[in-house]
Amino acid sequence: IYAKNNVKIIRENVMATSTIGYYYPLKSEIIMLEGVEVRENNNIIKCDELVLDIENSISIMKSDLKNRVEATIFNTN
């Protein structure tokens, strides 16, 4: 499945948004591209590509050499 413009994935208390998304049901995998932003509580992570392995609950975030993965983490204690 291919999605474009305002792609949003919500799972439990995590929301991921991007411009482009691909869902591969046979692999239980979602790939999000372009302007990826992941929010959990007040924490934000920005990257160019997010690979979500739904079955194993694994997330891989990537960016190219020009843009690094950027994270803003707040201590809630």
Side-chain angles (χ1 to χ4, degrees):
I1 297 172
Y2 170 75
K4 186 174 180 183
N5 296 330
N6 299 319
V7 177
K8 184 184 293 185
I9 304 295
I10 300 172
R11 186 170 183 196
E12 297 173 9
N13 63 337
V14 178
M15 179 176 65
T17 59
S18 70
T19 303
I20 297 171
Y22 295 93
Y23 172 52
Y24 299 96
L26 296 177
K27 294 170 44 174
S28 292
E29 184 176 84
I30 297 171
I31 298 176
M32 301 178 79
L33 304 168
E34 295 185 13
V36 179
E37 185 173 286
V38 179
R39 292 180 175 263
E40 181 177 10
N41 302 319
N42 292 328
N43 303 318
I44 303 168
I45 300 175
K46 297 179 182 181
C47 59
D48 294 330
E49 179 181 344
L50 172 64
V51 179
L52 299 168
D53 179 338
I54 300 167
E55 187 174 317
N56 298 304
S57 207
I58 296 172
S59 301
I60 300 171
M61 299 167 189
K62 302 177 187 178
S63 286
D64 63 21
L65 294 175
K66 295 177 189 172
N67 301 311
R68 294 181 183 222
V69 173
E70 178 183 321
T72 305
I73 308 295
F74 292 95
N75 185 354
T76 57
N77 294 335

